[in-house]
């Protein structure tokens, strides 16, 4: 039997029981960060094959935009401002992983003096370089490449893109 909302303790227990049965999503948050030449910052993680956009996984109860800001601070020593959301990608379960929601945010453009000083600040990254979008795409795995391409289109036309497993859904 459902308790009355006026019985705060019983109502909260009822809601917590329902919440416990809800899906839990892994969340990643990456950024498009450019230099004045329009090149995109790309990083080489040490813990997996291939290159990636800067960012990473959100911690428990951490908003995706704040996760991106935190990851850039931790891994690159950069303080960035998120300008807007570019891409949301739902990733189906694969291998040992449950499904995931991946976000890409626009973090704007770094001035030359800051862009020249970008270096990995921890052992999760071996390299960080600014490259033209086509060269970034060549270094990324297929799903990440599709996200990058969608993000570049979103920047150019002012839109936001929704993908399902790396493919534009609508």
């Amino acid at each position: 039997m459902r308790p009355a909302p006026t019985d705060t303790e019983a109502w909260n227990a009822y809601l917590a029981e329902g919440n416990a049965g809800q899906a839990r999503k892994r969340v990643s948050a990456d950024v498009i960060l450019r230099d004045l030449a329009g090149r995109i910052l790309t990083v080489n993680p040490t813990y997996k094959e291939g290159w990636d956009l800067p960012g990473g996984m959100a911690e428990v109860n951490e908003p995706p935009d704040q996760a991106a800001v935190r990851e850039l601070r931790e891994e690159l020593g950069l303080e960035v401002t998120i300008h807007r959301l570019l891409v949301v990608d739902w990733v189906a379960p694969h291998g040992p992983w449950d499904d995931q929601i991946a976000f890409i945010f626009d973090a704007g453009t770094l001035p030359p003096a800051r862009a020249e000083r970008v270096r990995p600040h921890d052992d999760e990254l071996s390299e960080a370089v600014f490259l033209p979008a086509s060269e970034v795409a060549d270094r990324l795995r297929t799903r990440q490449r599709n996200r990058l391409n969608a993000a570049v289109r979103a920047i150019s036309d002012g839109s936001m893109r929704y993908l399902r497993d790396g493919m534009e859904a609508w």
Side-chain angles (χ1 to χ4, degrees), residues 24-131:
R24 299 286 189 252
K25 305 288 185 193
R26 293 179 307 121
V27 173
S28 68
D30 295 337
V31 301
I32 299 289
L33 183 61
R34 296 170 303 279
D35 65 9
L36 282 181
R39 298 176 303 173
I40 297 171
L41 183 60
T42 310
V43 296
N44 190 3
T46 58
Y47 54 88
K48 63 182 178 181
E49 292 295 319
W51 289 68
D52 217 337
L53 294 173
M57 300 304 292
E59 295 176 353
V60 173
N61 297 323
E62 181 180 39
D65 59 323
Q66 290 180 8
V69 169
R70 176 187 50 75
E71 287 284 343
L72 268 74
R73 182 183 320 111
E74 291 174 359
E75 295 180 352
L76 296 164
L78 287 173
E79 292 296 332
V80 298
T81 300
I82 300 299
H83 297 279
R84 69 184 187 95
L85 177 63
L86 299 171
V87 173
V88 175
D89 184 14
W90 175 80
V91 180
H94 58 283
W97 302 108
D98 291 332
D99 67 336
Q100 169 187 355
I101 304 292
F103 295 85
I104 297 181
F105 296 97
D106 183 356
T109 303
L110 283 181
R114 286 186 65 203
E116 291 169 7
R117 291 192 310 268
V118 173
R119 304 278 182 278
H121 275 232
D122 68 18
D123 61 356
E124 289 188 23
L125 302 177
S126 63
E127 297 174 77
V129 296
F130 286 91
L131 298 169

